Amino acid sequence: MIALILFFKRRPISLFNGVLLIATVGSILGAIILTTGYLNWLVLLGIIFAVLIGIAIIIAILSYFIGILLLWNAAVVWRREQHSLANSLTLLLGVYVLVSPLVLNLLRNTLPHLLYRFLIDIEGMIFFYLMAWLVCYGLSFFIYRFIRPKHDKAYLIVLGAGLLNGDQISPLLKRRVQRGLDFANHQYAKTGMYPYVIMSGGQGGDETIPEGVAMANYARSVGFPETQIIVEDQSKTTTENMQFSKEKILAHGFDITKGLFVTSDYHVFRAGIFAFDNGLRINGIGAKTRLYFLFNALIREFVAILARHKKVHLIVLGLIITFALVDVTLIPWLNNYR
């Protein structure tokens, strides 16, 4: 637990926090089980095992119906959002979950035994590898949400998103901006000092004005002080949001450590990684996302985080293929030799 606390304070945005949380919970649970067993507290020990069995049953039930749940979520997202690849991740995952057992059964009946075993080994190890990443991401994301920033900020960075009709902020973007303004107003109520709010977002190909300008227009329309608004209108990506906003921060002479970024809640963790990459060791807060869209968005964020470690994945894939070859060639040969 001490390692988790120390590492989290030094780097709150890290997948390693998920690993440390697993180790912490496991060690605490193990210590409790050993202690109750040693002291012969059979009733408490029985309750602990009953809870663990209940959790396992719930996970098994959800796993059994996960394909159907994913397709249902995909249908809701497609009915309410644009039909894009980014909004189709639950659809693709649901199809994979439902179809893959049928494909594997077909391959088992058509492929040579060793080739089928080779493919099954690879599929199983890749699945385990991705699930390990997913668990670490989910737990790290969960821990990060417990951060409650102090109302002592010199600046806020509100990250942009696509505009409607070329010049109007979307409901998602409005929630981001309003989340930042609410924090700024709350800080003013507590301390008498507004933070400067950097509206960060450039102009897309289908937009008639930069996102930062549209965000600033909305802030003015709800009565936020004009003097506390700074527009950053060149960024096209999250990393550019952080990079170009940092230039504004340095140009205005703000204390770079006294800041906060604002985005959608599902995007906070990955945006924090980009902030750290650009030398902004600041935390973030998130605006609420509609529940039906959250799962698809979290999968998208997970895929984007995986994409940051391509070399690691290639090395692991090479090891997986090697282990699978050993399993279908060397191990059977050793068994025959014996």
Side-chain angles (χ1 to χ4, degrees):
M1 180 177 291
I2 295 176
L4 173 61
I5 294 173
L6 292 177
F7 190 86
F8 183 75
K9 284 185 175 181
R10 187 175 69 85
R11 178 112 190 195
I13 302 178
S14 172
L15 293 177
F16 191 59
N17 289 321
V19 177
L20 291 176
L21 179 60
I22 294 173
T24 299
V25 173
S27 61
I28 292 175
L29 185 60
I32 292 174
I33 292 174
L34 290 175
T35 302
T36 53
Y38 177 77
L39 297 176
N40 205 28
W41 293 347
L42 298 182
V43 174
L44 180 58
L45 193 61
I47 293 174
I48 293 173
F49 279 110
V51 171
L52 293 177
I53 292 172
I55 293 173
I57 291 173
I58 292 173
I59 293 174
I61 294 173
L62 290 176
S63 299
Y64 185 79
F65 291 104
I66 189 66
I68 296 173
L69 293 174
L70 286 169
L71 291 182
W72 172 78
N73 179 259
V76 174
V77 172
W78 268 45
R79 188 167 66 247
R80 301 186 181 184
E81 304 289 339
Q82 292 180 340
H83 295 180
S84 63
L85 178 61
N87 290 337
S88 304
L89 296 178
T90 50
L91 173 64
L92 297 174
L93 188 57
V95 170
Y96 168 77
V97 170
L98 293 176
V99 172
S100 60
L102 301 176
V103 174
L104 291 176
N105 186 62
L106 177 64
L107 293 177
R108 181 175 60 185
N109 297 326
T110 56
L111 294 178
H113 173 70
L114 287 181
L115 178 57
Y116 172 76
R117 181 173 167 180
F118 174 71
L119 294 176
I120 286 295
D121 283 350
I122 290 178
E123 195 265 348
M125 285 186 281
I126 289 177
F127 177 81
F128 178 81
Y129 176 69
L130 292 177
M131 286 302 101
W133 270 87
L134 181 60
V135 169
C136 290
Y137 166 68
L139 292 176
S140 300
F141 180 89
F142 172 76
I143 297 173
Y144 189 75
R145 291 176 66 88
F146 283 94
I147 289 181
R148 295 294 180 267
K150 297 179 180 179
H151 290 86
D152 61 351
K153 307 308 178 191
Y155 65 90
L156 308 179
I157 304 172
V158 183
L159 306 187
L163 301 179
L164 297 177
N165 303 319
D167 62 351
Q168 301 171 15
I169 64 174
S170 64
L172 181 146
L173 183 53
K174 182 182 292 186
R175 287 192 290 271
R176 288 187 186 183
V177 177
Q178 193 59 55
R179 181 75 171 94
L181 299 182
D182 289 344
F183 184 94
N185 289 328
H186 193 192
Q187 177 170 309
Y188 178 76
K190 292 184 67 173
T191 66
M193 297 192 62
Y194 277 112
Y196 286 87
V197 180
I198 303 172
M199 304 297 184
S200 179
Q203 184 172 337
D206 59 345
E207 296 170 345
T208 57
I209 62 173
E211 295 162 10
V213 173
M215 295 155 69
N217 290 341
Y218 171 79
R220 296 186 194 99
S221 72
V222 296
F224 193 75
E226 168 77 31
T227 56
Q228 301 304 121
I229 300 173
I230 298 173
V231 175
E232 183 285 297
D233 58 3
Q234 299 300 313
S235 56
K236 300 293 178 64
T237 64
T238 303
T239 191
E240 288 183 355
N241 286 137
M242 300 302 181
Q243 177 186 345
F244 298 153
S245 294
K246 182 181 178 182
E247 293 176 1
K248 297 283 186 181
I249 293 164
L250 296 176
H252 284 78
F254 301 145
D255 182 346
I256 201 169
T257 65
K258 291 290 186 179
L260 188 72
F261 67 84
V262 186
T263 184
S264 300
D265 51 5
Y266 65 83
H267 187 235
V268 171
F269 190 83
R270 186 161 66 96
I273 294 175
F274 288 120
F276 271 64
D277 287 348
N278 283 278
L280 289 172
R281 295 187 173 273
I282 59 175
N283 292 311
I285 55 175
K288 290 184 179 180
T289 306
R290 291 173 181 171
L291 186 60
Y292 73 85
F293 186 71
L294 185 59
F295 192 61
N296 189 88
L298 288 175
I299 294 176
R300 185 173 64 195
E301 294 296 297
F302 175 62
V303 171
I305 288 176
L306 285 180
R308 289 173 53 86
H309 305 280
K310 296 183 182 69
K311 291 182 179 179
V312 173
H313 303 323
L314 288 174
I315 293 172
V316 172
L317 180 60
L319 292 174
I320 286 173
I321 293 173
T322 301
F323 290 148
L325 286 173
V326 169
D327 182 50
V328 300
T329 57
L330 183 59
I331 292 179
W333 179 81
L334 290 174
N335 289 335
N336 292 331
Y337 179 77
R338 290 173 185 171

